[in-house]
Amino acid sequence: MPQDSAPSHGSADSDRIIDYRSRFDLSQRRYLVLGGGQGMGRQVSHALAQLGAEVIVVDMDRARADAVRTEIGSRATSEQVDATDNAEMAALAERVGELDGVVDVIGMARYGSLLDISDEDWSWEESIVLRHAVLALRHFGRRLRDRGEGSVTFVSSVSGIGSSPVHAAYGVYKAALGSLVRSASIELGPYGVRVNAVAPGFVVTPRISAVLDSDALENTRTQIPLQRLTLPADVASALTFLVSDLARTITGQVMIVDGGATNKYPYDMSAF
């Protein structure tokens, strides 16, 4: 534990200059990354390992998990697990033992009109967006609670904060994930466990890159106040901050990472 991790009780503690680098040091820690085999999960697995942590890369695709483990080297191990399956998650918790935290990046949208969403798609979105988060808290949150410290960090979406046209089911369950984060932070906070989420906007993941051409990406970039597309590494950076002791008093929050897009004023003011 960092030397400054104890609660502060007086002005002497308040005035003391701490070693900020130590708050970003994850050496001698272990983190589980759910969905770590590609995109944001792959990036955050590398980020945690570069800061000194041991990383367990979990993916339902064995080849993807193993590939990231190989990239990272001796600081990583890999597991093939369906994170939406209660029995598999329970068994995973037994296998991996003591952890310092969990990072869960799993999530995907199916697109179509709200009026045409099938029952199957609603159920699929609940599973791929929310169910694994509930299971992560059920099986790993209990262990962190009993340990008396740790963090659980999710990837939400701006679609769960504002509207989500043409992917309404995804937005509904991302909104529910935000509620889950807030509730879990209250229940687990007294035990020293922090629960947060990052809410990206448009992210240029490998999946998105395979669908959109350069013109579509450029059009999206020009709509963003920072004029910069968000990459998986940008989301991983925010996740890593929330995992670290730099965020040791941050819990129950959903941090937006979207280049300012959700703050954009929707009206053309040039005439004024």
Side-chain angles (χ1 to χ4, degrees):
M1 292 289 291
Q3 291 183 350
D4 67 301
S5 62
S8 296
H9 297 292
S11 59
D13 288 333
S14 300
D15 292 339
R16 180 169 57 90
I17 302 300
I18 61 111
D19 179 1
Y20 286 94
R21 290 172 300 182
S22 72
R23 289 196 176 186
F24 218 36
D25 181 7
L26 302 181
S27 58
Q28 300 182 21
R29 297 191 184 186
R30 297 181 78 222
Y31 292 95
L32 186 82
V33 180
L34 296 170
Q38 62 180 341
M40 291 177 280
R42 172 175 172 259
Q43 290 286 346
V44 76
S45 294
H46 275 273
L48 296 173
Q50 286 181 23
L51 292 173
E54 178 186 340
V55 181
I56 304 163
V57 181
V58 181
D59 202 283
M60 68 185 305
D61 185 310
R62 166 60 75 180
R64 288 198 304 242
D66 288 349
V68 175
R69 178 203 67 204
T70 300
E71 289 174 354
I72 293 172
S74 61
R75 291 193 180 279
T77 56
S78 57
E79 293 274 355
Q80 180 182 17
V81 170
D82 178 356
T84 68
D85 185 281
N86 183 60
E88 290 195 30
M89 287 287 276
L92 176 65
E94 288 294 328
R95 287 198 302 275
V96 301
E98 188 170 282
L99 292 170
D100 292 276
V102 176
V103 178
D104 181 350
V105 309
I106 299 170
M108 193 184 307
R110 286 181 177 176
Y111 296 93
S113 167
L114 169 62
L115 302 182
D116 297 326
I117 296 174
S118 66
D119 286 348
E120 189 273 333
D121 279 345
W122 276 105
S123 296
W124 184 85
E125 287 288 7
E126 186 278 333
S127 182
I128 202 67
V129 172
L130 188 62
R131 178 168 172 75
H132 56 84
V134 173
L135 295 178
L137 285 167
R138 176 183 299 166
H139 296 294
F140 296 101
R142 181 181 292 114
R143 288 172 174 267
L144 294 172
R145 177 200 64 188
D146 294 344
R147 185 170 183 247
E149 62 181 342
S151 63
V152 184
T153 314
F154 298 102
V155 172
S156 182
S157 171
V158 296
S159 296
I161 296 172
S163 61
S164 49
V166 200
H167 59 304
Y170 176 83
V172 164
Y173 291 116
K174 285 295 190 182
L177 177 58
S179 179
L180 181 69
V181 164
R182 290 185 288 274
S183 296
S185 73
I186 300 301
E187 292 197 21
L188 295 176
Y191 301 96
V193 180
R194 299 183 299 108
V195 185
N196 291 294
V198 168
F202 182 90
V203 182
V204 188
T205 62
R207 191 181 299 118
I208 291 294
S209 297
V211 173
L212 299 183
D213 61 23
S214 58
D215 288 341
L217 291 173
E218 176 61 16
N219 180 63
T220 300
R221 185 192 67 79
T222 61
Q223 302 304 309
I224 298 170
L226 277 180
Q227 301 283 288
R228 181 184 301 143
L229 290 169
T230 300
L231 302 176
D234 299 315
V235 181
S237 297
L239 288 166
T240 305
F241 163 71
L242 289 174
V243 163
S244 78
D245 285 339
L246 285 171
R248 69 181 196 149
T249 58
I250 299 175
T251 194
Q253 302 303 307
V254 178
M255 178 190 292
I256 297 175
V257 181
D258 70 347
T262 53
N263 291 326
K264 187 175 180 182
Y265 194 63
Y267 308 106
D268 181 6
M269 299 298 290
S270 58
F272 293 86

